[in-house]
Amino acid sequence: MTGGTEPPRETSLDVIQRELTAFARRARAAAARVHPELPLVSYTLLAHIEERHGCRATDLAAHYLLDKSTVSRQLAGLEKLGFVERRPAPDDHRVQVLHATEEGTKVLASARTNRRAAYQERLKDWSAEDLARFAAYLLRYNDAGTDDLPDHPSP
């Protein structure tokens, strides 16, 4: 700020909350444009399944702090679209492991390409130093965890 004065902490927190909410809304809208039947939560779960080369539904619920019922509904939609399939775990055939299908992998690749292009366009005027700072702040924020956040509704 000018004159060496900083805004009150509460003012900054209000701005952060408002802007993160706007960011989340844009992310949901962008996900809907990539694939109208693939909401942001489903996209996120599918990406996690692909990155892990398979995982259990309970692992997804624990990782994203979601109700099992929320994960179950999202997975049912992904299975219906043909983006996810269940396979028995190699070490225990009673356990079902989720895997991205070939079609699911294609949708993710397309979404990543579109998202990267959108970020490149939106941030094209930012310096490399500003981008590095922004990336570092996002990492720092996300590394802080969610233990101290108020309860948030399931997406």
Side-chain angles (χ1 to χ4, degrees):
M1 289 290 172
T2 60
T5 61
E6 293 183 19
R9 194 169 171 80
E10 292 77 22
T11 301
S12 295
L13 290 172
D14 287 345
V15 170
I16 290 167
Q17 179 180 349
R18 183 182 66 238
E19 295 304 314
L20 285 177
T21 299
F23 179 85
R25 286 186 185 126
R26 280 193 306 274
R28 282 191 175 105
R33 284 191 303 273
V34 169
H35 195 287
E37 296 179 74
L38 189 62
L40 183 60
V41 174
S42 295
Y43 169 86
T44 303
L45 297 179
L46 180 58
H48 187 86
I49 292 166
E50 184 199 39
E51 289 165 9
R52 298 281 188 260
H53 304 287
C55 68
R56 299 173 304 151
T58 55
D59 298 331
L60 290 169
H63 182 78
Y64 290 107
L65 305 174
L66 295 171
D67 282 344
K68 291 177 186 176
S69 62
T70 299
V71 171
S72 180
R73 281 191 307 275
Q74 297 297 325
L75 291 174
L78 289 170
E79 287 178 293
K80 184 177 177 184
L81 292 167
F83 298 159
V84 168
E85 64 185 5
R86 296 174 190 264
R87 298 183 207 152
D91 55 339
D92 184 350
H93 291 303
R94 297 171 296 173
V95 176
Q96 295 289 302
V97 178
L98 301 157
H99 291 274
T101 63
E102 186 176 331
E103 186 63 26
T105 300
K106 286 179 187 176
V107 165
L108 281 174
S110 173
R112 285 183 183 121
T113 299
N114 292 342
R115 291 173 74 147
R116 185 172 189 86
Y119 284 124
Q120 286 176 336
E121 177 62 26
R122 188 173 196 97
L123 302 170
K124 68 183 175 191
D125 296 330
W126 289 37
S127 70
E129 185 177 313
D130 284 346
L131 288 174
R133 275 195 200 116
F134 186 48
Y137 288 145
L138 287 172
L139 285 169
R140 182 176 166 191
Y141 177 79
N142 285 327
D143 284 347
T146 58
D147 293 341
D148 57 348
L149 291 179
D151 289 339
H152 52 320
S154 297

